Amino acid sequence: MAESTVKEEKKGNGGGSDKKSKIIKPSLNMKELRELADLVDAHGFTDFEFENEKIRVRLSKNLIAPTAPQTSRTAAPTTAGIQESTDISSDIDNDEADDGLYQITSPIVGTFYRSPAPDKPAYIKEGDSVSGDTVVCIVEAMKLMNEIQAETSGEIVKVYVEDAQPVEYGQPLFGVRK
């Protein structure tokens, strides 16, 4: 990484100024920055910020859900970028089919799990009846397992998210026919 030169003014007694150059060495080189980004990615963070008296670094990425479900709960999502829809007509058909359904949405950003553990059955499946206090899934955020309740009564007719997929705040998880 190239070194930066900063001009610094030094005032003398005679009112004039003496100009002097000072070499500032970078506090983080590109190799260290890449290693930091890899470490943040390896631990599944979507945002990371570090600041000291010399430097401020902020790393951020947007996650999208991969199309194939993950098989392990310990695997961190690594897909980043923007997902584009190539089939507009199928999206419109899905929206029309979901008309009239109450959507249970994610209250937080995290990882969606349908069951309390990988070897346990799902909390609910399509066709199950739920009430307001029925636990429908878990959203893991920062190693905390948050139970999500239905908050409505009805029948689960649609599951929008695959198990172990990242979810965003407000993203629909289930469709409920009241």
Side-chain angles (χ1 to χ4, degrees), residues 30-172:
M30 285 306 289
K31 181 181 177 201
E32 293 170 324
L33 190 57
R34 283 189 194 103
E35 289 174 0
L36 181 60
D38 290 342
L39 185 62
V40 168
D41 188 45
H43 289 283
F45 293 130
T46 55
D47 289 300
F48 175 80
E49 190 168 333
F50 171 78
E51 182 175 358
N52 67 19
E53 64 278 349
K54 293 182 180 181
I55 191 169
R56 179 176 180 218
V57 176
R58 182 168 192 271
L59 303 172
S60 180
K61 68 178 179 177
N62 293 325
L63 295 178
I64 59 170
T67 55
Q70 292 178 339
T71 57
S72 170
R73 288 196 180 192
T74 58
T78 57
T79 307
I82 298 173
Q83 184 177 18
E84 294 181 20
S85 176
T86 56
D87 188 5
I88 296 172
S89 63
S90 68
D91 291 341
I92 293 171
D93 293 341
N94 287 340
D95 290 341
E96 289 173 3
D98 294 344
D99 283 345
L101 295 182
Y102 174 84
Q103 291 183 341
I104 300 172
T105 59
S106 179
I108 56 176
V109 173
T111 304
F112 170 85
Y113 296 114
R114 293 189 66 183
S115 63
D119 59 338
K120 302 288 183 190
Y123 285 107
I124 59 166
K125 59 186 181 304
E126 289 181 5
D128 286 353
S129 293
V130 294
S131 62
D133 59 349
T134 303
V135 175
V136 294
C137 66
I138 291 176
V139 176
E140 177 189 3
M142 297 178 63
K143 303 295 180 196
L144 294 175
M145 301 299 182
N146 301 283
E147 290 183 339
I148 309 303
Q149 295 180 336
E151 297 181 0
T152 190
S153 296
E155 177 188 355
I156 300 293
V157 294
K158 182 91 171 160
V159 180
Y160 296 108
V161 183
E162 294 292 325
D163 194 41
Q165 297 303 301
V167 292
E168 297 292 325
Y169 170 80
Q171 179 178 345

